[in-house]
């Protein structure tokens, strides 16, 4: 796994701004998997990439503090400081409310990182809960979007806020409304490629500027050789470059701040 991921970074890094390790796939391998994850994160940083730790954590405040230490800043123990993953962003499940999110915000702000809250996800079952209508008339995902906007702190330089949202690219019809509710939040947009999402449908995400949208593709890049044929590294690089060009063309056409 380590060798595969490092080779993938070497192939695709010039066309990317970030890597998004799916933590469960490493954790399933136990301690060796965590060691591989650390190596992948270090290699990504050496390649000039941001690291998004995709763990979708969320628990009571005490446990959330441990999760935040593991993924962001590390932990001070009686035996010295134990380094965390030191990710640049972390995905968090907000359904347990503000007190479960607060430890991630505190750790992120202490280390210049960001938090991405699940709002409207890319999986088919998202509608089971996220589309439910609350008493006041808004949906669950719209209430979560308001929480993102309430918790985020604006960037002094005019960039995106430090709290963003995971908005699935498989449901682009929600993007315009999501931007109304979260005008300054960065959007992580999973679901491009293998899940059926299309970059061309994501215009509203880039309203704050090019950094407003993080287009996420995984299998479509890692397995590009199965479609394109030829050398796996060359196919991955070409797929990433093509995706980047389409994303930047779309961002350049965004209405405000683009």
């Amino acid at each position: 796994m380590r060798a595969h991921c490092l080779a993938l970074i070497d192939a695709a890094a010039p066309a990317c701004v970030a890597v998004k390790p799916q933590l469960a796939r490493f954790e399933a391998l136990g301690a060796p998997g965590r060691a591989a994850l650390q190596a992948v994160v270090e290699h990504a940083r050496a390649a000039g990439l941001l690291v998004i730790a995709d763990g979708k954590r969320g628990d009571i405040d005490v446990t959330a503090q441990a999760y935040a230490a593991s993924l962001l800043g590390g932990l001070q123990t009686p035996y010295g400081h134990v380094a965390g993953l030191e990710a640049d962003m972390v995905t968090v499940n907000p359904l347990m409310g503000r007190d479960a999110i607060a430890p991630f915000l505190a750790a992120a702000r202490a280390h210049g990182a960001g938090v991405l809250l699940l709002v409207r996800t890319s999986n088919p079952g998202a509608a089971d809960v996220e589309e439910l209508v609350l008493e006041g008339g808004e949906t669950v995902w719209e209430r979560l979007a308001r929480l993102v906007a309430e918790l985020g702190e604006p960037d002094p330089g005019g960039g995106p806020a430090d709290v963003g949202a995971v908005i699935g690219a498989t449901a682009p019809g929600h993007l315009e409304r999501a931007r109304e509710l979260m005008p300054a939040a960065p959007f992580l947009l999973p679901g491009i490629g293998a899940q059926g999402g299309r970059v061309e449908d994501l215009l509203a995400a880039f309203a704050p500027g090019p950094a407003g949208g993080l287009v996420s593709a995984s299998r479509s890049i890692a397995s590009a050789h199965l479609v394109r044929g030829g050398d796996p590294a060359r196919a991955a690089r070409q797929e990433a470059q093509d995706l980047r060009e389409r994303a930047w063309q779309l961002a350049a056409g965004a209405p405000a701040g683009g």
Side-chain angles (χ1 to χ4, degrees):
M1 179 181 281
R2 176 181 178 276
H4 171 81
C5 291
L6 299 192
L8 185 57
I9 290 171
D10 289 340
C16 301
V17 297
V19 296
K20 185 171 71 68
Q22 172 46 256
L23 303 186
R25 302 304 295 266
F26 294 90
E27 291 167 352
L29 299 177
R34 178 70 186 211
L37 174 62
Q38 191 68 46
V40 169
V41 168
E42 292 172 0
H43 198 67
R45 285 205 192 91
L49 300 176
L50 298 171
V51 175
I52 303 171
D54 191 9
K56 303 176 179 68
R57 307 300 197 215
D59 211 321
I60 63 170
D61 54 358
V62 174
T63 309
Q65 289 172 7
Y67 278 137
S70 171
L71 300 178
L72 293 165
L75 188 66
Q76 189 64 39
T77 75
Y79 308 101
H81 184 265
V82 179
L85 202 61
E86 298 182 357
D88 298 290
M89 297 181 186
V90 59
T91 58
V92 173
N93 188 330
L95 286 178
M96 289 184 67
R98 292 172 183 266
D99 59 335
I101 301 168
F104 292 98
L105 290 180
R109 286 167 178 165
H111 295 89
V115 174
L116 298 164
L117 302 185
L118 305 184
V119 171
R120 208 307 179 172
T121 53
S122 62
N123 59 304
D128 293 346
V129 174
E130 295 164 4
E131 298 285 354
L132 293 178
V133 178
L134 302 175
E135 186 175 349
E138 65 182 1
T139 61
V140 170
W141 80 259
E142 287 175 314
R143 177 65 193 103
L144 296 175
R146 292 186 188 279
L147 188 61
V148 168
E150 292 165 8
L151 294 175
E153 292 185 353
D155 177 67
D162 61 350
V163 178
V166 179
I167 304 284
T170 53
H174 294 304
L175 278 174
E176 188 171 346
R177 175 58 174 159
R179 263 293 162 234
E180 290 177 5
L181 295 170
M182 302 174 286
F187 287 0
L188 177 64
L189 302 158
I192 294 296
Q195 293 186 55
R198 300 185 334 124
V199 174
E200 292 77 10
D201 297 331
L202 306 179
L203 178 63
F206 295 96
L214 289 164
V215 178
S216 173
S218 301
R219 285 171 284 174
S220 59
I221 294 176
S223 302
H225 62 287
L226 299 179
V227 177
R228 294 174 176 264
D231 176 67
R234 183 174 295 122
R237 183 180 301 113
Q238 189 61 55
E239 181 69 20
Q241 288 173 343
D242 290 351
L243 180 61
R244 178 193 184 194
E245 290 176 8
R246 287 153 56 201
W248 275 101
Q249 288 171 2
L250 194 70

